Amino acid sequence: MTKPKSRPTAATHSASRKSNKSRSRKRPAPASSKPVARPGTKHERIIAMLQTPAGATIASLVTATKWQQHSVRGFFAGVVRKKKLGLNLVSEQTDKGRVYRIKDGKTSSAALDRAKQVA
């Protein structure tokens, strides 16, 4: 016949639980509020192409990133213009098609309009 295994008493069980809780978990320091693109990413490639004086077409950005057209347009709306970077993205119709470029001004007119509405 085998002996039943003994269980730890409640006092030792709660003591071991207490020592686990007393250890604090170290959290990493919060990142800066502005996202920083890693070198060589698709985001960085698009921004570099848009900052050239000639600008870039949707077709050239699709070729460079292997994204679909709607993904490039969504990147313009969500990252370049509104949420993350707030850059002044302008477009014009040329003989090559619609060309997009980032103007030197940091914030877009739409971002300035939103700021005025909040204030």
Side-chain angles (χ1 to χ4, degrees), residues 72-112:
V72 173
R73 288 191 201 100
F75 178 78
F76 287 168
V79 177
V80 177
R81 282 191 176 146
K82 292 182 183 174
K83 295 191 180 193
K84 301 217 178 200
L85 301 177
L87 298 172
N88 190 9
L89 182 70
V90 295
S91 68
E92 60 182 329
Q93 186 67 36
T94 64
D95 55 342
K96 292 190 244 178
R98 186 155 298 276
V99 176
Y100 297 87
R101 72 177 53 89
I102 295 175
K103 269 193 153 179
D104 288 334
K106 178 69 176 164
T107 58
S108 66
S109 60
L112 290 174

Side-chain angles (χ1 to χ4, degrees), residues 28-88:
S32 66
S33 61
K34 287 286 183 183
V36 178
R38 294 181 309 231
T41 62
K42 291 180 183 181
H43 288 204
E44 188 178 85
R45 239 182 294 165
I46 290 176
I47 299 297
M49 290 174 74
L50 292 173
Q51 287 175 335
T52 62
T57 63
I58 295 280
S60 66
L61 294 170
V62 165
T63 305
T65 60
K66 298 181 182 173
W67 287 351
Q68 294 183 10
Q69 290 180 6
H70 66 274
S71 299
V72 173
R73 288 191 201 100
F75 178 78
F76 287 168
V79 177
V80 177
R81 282 191 176 146
K82 292 182 183 174
K83 295 191 180 193
K84 301 217 178 200
L85 301 177
L87 298 172
N88 190 9

